[in-house]
Amino acid sequence: MSRRTFHLNAFLMGVGHHEAAWRHPRTDERNVLDVRHFQELGRIAERGKLDSVFFADNLAVGPRIERNTLAVFEPVTLLSAIAAVTEHVGLIATASTTYNEPFNLARKFASLDHISGGRAGWNIVTSGNEDEAFNFGYDAIPEHARRYERATEFVQVALGLWDTWESSAIVLDTERGTFADPAKVHTLDHHGERFKVRGPLNSPRSPQGRPLLVQAGSSESGKEFAARYAEAVFTAQRTLAEGQRFYRDLKARLAGYGRAADELKVLPGLVPFIADTPEQARALEREFTELISPDYALRQLSSMLGVDLTEHALDAPLPPLPAEHEIQGGKSRFTLVKELAEQENLTVRGLIAKLGGGRGHRTFAGTPEQVADELQTWFEAGAADGFNIMPPYLPGGLTDFVDRVVPILQERGLFRTEYTADTLRGHYGLEPVESRFAASNSAVSA
C-alpha cells in the first residue's frame, strides 16, 4: 500500500500576502501591474510540482487604495495567461455567486478548462464585503443566509449547464458537414426561485467535465455548503487543535450528502517566513511587520470585525464587538480574529501585527526543515490533507518554498516528485465528470 501524500496549492497575491510586501526591498512593487510576474509564479509553482495556484478576488477597491496594492487583474483572465506558459499546474480562481450569473460564470470556467487542457478550478464565494455590495446595486451586504441560499441554486445551475454537452457531442465530420450531434446537446430548462436558465451552454464539455470545486467559508452555512459541493476547502486555523476539530467536523458532514471522506481535501493556510536559521526567519518577519501602515490595518480590521476602529487607540484592547449572529459579512473570519484577540490578550497593535501576514491564517517563521516538520505534523495528526501556501513576498517567498521545502517533503515521501495526472482533478485524486445526460441516455439505450 502506497504512503498517503498531501496536496500543495500556492495562494498568490500581488507581490506577496503580507500587507507590507510591496514596500519591502525583497519585492518590486511594479510587478503588480506586470502579467509576466504572474506567469513566472506559475512556472515556479510548476517546477515544484504543486497541485495548483490560486487567485482570490474582490469586486471593490475597499480600503487598499492609499496604503496597499490592488488585485489588478480579473483572475480567470489572468489564469488564461498563465495557462499559456505552463503545462501541468492547476489554475483556481475565485468567482462570486452573489454578483455573477450562472450562465456567464459557467462559460468562463469551461473556457479556462479548454484553454488550459483541463486545469481549471472554481473557488466559490458568496462575497461578504460591503464595498462590493455598493457596486452591484445593494445598499448593504445581502443577508448571510440568503447569500448561501442563492449560492446553492447558483451551483446547481452551473453544474447543470456544464452537463448540457456530453463529452462525445463534438463530431467534426467534415465530409458529412456535421459539427456536433444535437442528440448529445441538451437544454437545461432550470426554473428556480432565483434563476431561470434554458441552456444549453455555448461551450462544449471541457476536458475535466467541470472544474474542481473549491470553497473557503468556515461558518456553519459554509461548512454545510462545502460538505455538499466542495472538492477542496481552503481554511484558516491557527492551532493544531483547531485544525483537527475543523477537519473532523467537515469530514463527518460528508456522509449526509452520500460522499466519502476522501472526496474532499482540507487545505489550511500557512504564511511561511523561511531562512537559514530560526533567528533569521523571525527577524525577516519583523522587517515586514515594521512596514505595516497602521491606518490601513485599522480599516482592514474594521471591515473584518464590523466596528469602526479607525480612531481607536492602538495600544488599547478591542472595544466590545457585535455578536456573531449580527455579522452579515465573513462570519468565520470574524470569529477567528475575535478569538485570537481574546485568547492572547492582544492590544489592537498586537492584533494588527498578528494579522499582517495572512489576515488570520497561520504564520510560521523557521528553517526549511522546520516548515516541513510543521506541515508533516498537521498532516499526520489529522488536521489537513494538504496546505494552502501563502508566500508573504513574491517571487522570493514562493521560490524559497519550492526550492528549499518541497525537496525535503519529497525526500520524506510526503509529496510527489513528478506529475502523475494531466488535469487538476487528477492532481487531487479525482476523475473527470461525465454529463448526467449521458448517464441517462446510457440507461435508456440499455
Side-chain angles (χ1 to χ4, degrees):
M1 183 176 178
S2 61
R3 184 178 183 181
R4 177 173 168 252
T5 56
F6 57 63
H7 303 276
L8 290 173
N9 172 75
F11 181 179
L12 305 175
M13 183 177 287
V15 291
H17 269 276
H18 197 283
E19 63 186 53
W22 72 285
R23 301 182 63 196
H24 196 278
R26 291 197 180 206
T27 68
D28 182 346
E29 65 277 9
R30 295 168 296 183
N31 279 341
V32 299
L33 302 168
D34 191 343
V35 69
R36 293 169 297 182
H37 162 70
F38 298 99
Q39 290 177 316
E40 179 59 20
L41 296 179
R43 285 191 286 257
I44 294 169
E46 186 159 277
R47 186 173 76 225
K49 316 302 179 189
L50 271 58
D51 295 69
S52 47
V53 297
F54 161 56
F55 289 91
D57 196 26
N58 194 294
L59 300 171
V61 169
R64 293 175 178 269
I65 196 63
E66 182 180 5
R67 299 296 191 184
N68 210 317
T69 56
L70 286 170
V72 174
F73 301 114
E74 187 279 320
V76 174
T77 307
L78 179 58
L79 287 170
S80 295
I82 295 173
V85 298
T86 57
E87 296 180 359
H88 301 286
V89 70
L91 308 167
I92 302 174
T94 287
S96 172
T97 57
T98 302
Y99 305 123
N100 279 295
E101 289 293 317
F103 192 96
N104 291 344
L105 186 143
R107 188 186 187 203
K108 269 189 183 182
F109 279 100
S111 296
L112 178 61
D113 208 47
H114 280 292
I115 290 167
S116 65
R119 295 186 279 146
W122 172 25
N123 178 46
I124 305 162
V125 299
T126 65
S127 299
N129 183 301
E130 190 172 57
D131 290 317
E132 293 177 296
F134 296 158
N135 286 338
F136 290 87
Y138 294 88
D139 295 324
I141 306 169
E143 193 264 333
H144 188 268
R146 287 180 54 212
R147 295 204 312 274
Y148 271 98
E149 289 166 3
R150 176 184 167 96
T152 297
E153 186 178 346
F154 191 113
V155 171
Q156 291 170 349
V157 176
L159 292 173
L161 286 167
W162 288 318
D163 274 347
T164 55
W165 287 72
E166 297 181 34
S167 57
S168 58
I170 298 293
V171 177
L172 296 178
D173 186 334
T174 55
E175 185 174 332
R176 296 186 179 185
T178 304
F179 173 74
D181 181 350
K184 295 181 178 181
V185 182
H186 308 273
T187 58
L188 179 61
D189 290 324
H190 175 89
H191 295 266
E193 184 178 342
R194 293 164 182 82
F195 302 108
K196 182 179 179 181
V197 182
R198 182 179 184 272
L201 191 65
N202 58 343
S203 177
R205 193 160 193 83
S206 68
Q208 297 186 108
R210 61 171 170 79
L212 183 82
L213 300 182
V214 183
Q215 196 265 353
S218 298
S219 66
E220 284 302 305
S221 298
K223 287 186 284 191
E224 279 301 309
F225 187 87
R228 185 172 183 178
Y229 294 114
E231 292 157 323
V233 168
F234 298 153
T235 184
Q237 275 80 44
R238 297 186 62 87
T239 69
L240 178 60
E242 290 171 358
Q244 290 169 321
R245 283 195 296 271
F246 179 86
Y247 188 92
R248 288 193 300 266
D249 181 6
L250 190 54
K251 296 281 186 170
R253 297 172 189 246
L254 293 170
Y257 296 97
R259 304 180 66 196
D262 62 356
E263 292 181 48
L264 182 152
K265 307 298 190 293
V266 177
L267 282 70
L270 180 74
V271 183
F273 287 89
I274 303 167
D276 292 336
T277 69
E279 294 76 20
Q280 290 172 342
R282 289 193 291 269
L284 180 62
E285 183 179 9
R286 284 195 298 272
E287 288 178 17
F288 282 82
T289 299
E290 289 165 1
L291 291 175
I292 293 174
S293 302
D295 57 340
Y296 165 77
L298 284 172
R299 290 197 297 274
Q300 287 282 85
L301 192 57
S302 298
S303 177
M304 289 182 192
L305 295 176
V307 294
D308 185 0
L309 299 171
T310 54
E311 302 298 326
H312 194 75
L314 286 170
D315 294 311
L318 287 173
L321 299 178
E324 183 179 333
H325 71 267
E326 299 177 68
I327 298 296
Q328 297 304 328
K331 286 183 181 286
S332 57
R333 194 53 52 90
F334 167 85
T335 301
L336 184 151
V337 174
K338 177 176 181 288
E339 290 179 352
L340 173 63
E342 292 172 349
Q343 290 166 2
E344 300 191 20
N345 196 27
L346 297 172
T347 63
V348 171
R349 189 189 302 275
L351 186 58
I352 286 171
K354 288 275 188 180
L355 297 174
R359 299 160 305 286
H361 288 85
R362 190 166 49 109
T363 300
F364 186 86
T367 66
E369 291 79 9
Q370 288 174 324
V371 174
D373 290 344
E374 188 75 359
L375 298 181
Q376 183 171 356
T377 295
W378 277 57
F379 178 63
E380 293 180 346
D385 295 306
F387 300 91
N388 197 20
I389 303 300
M390 304 165 60
Y393 60 97
L394 291 167
L398 180 61
T399 299
D400 282 348
F401 183 83
V402 162
D403 292 344
R404 304 187 67 187
V405 178
V406 167
I408 298 171
L409 300 173
Q410 291 170 330
E411 288 170 7
R412 296 179 184 181
L414 292 167
F415 190 64
R416 68 171 68 86
T417 56
E418 295 294 340
Y419 286 107
T420 57
D422 297 323
T423 67
L424 175 56
R425 298 185 63 79
H427 297 340
Y428 280 87
L430 301 168
E431 297 293 328
V433 180
E434 183 51 274
S435 167
R436 59 184 170 87
F437 290 108
S440 299
N441 289 343
S442 298
V444 170
S445 61

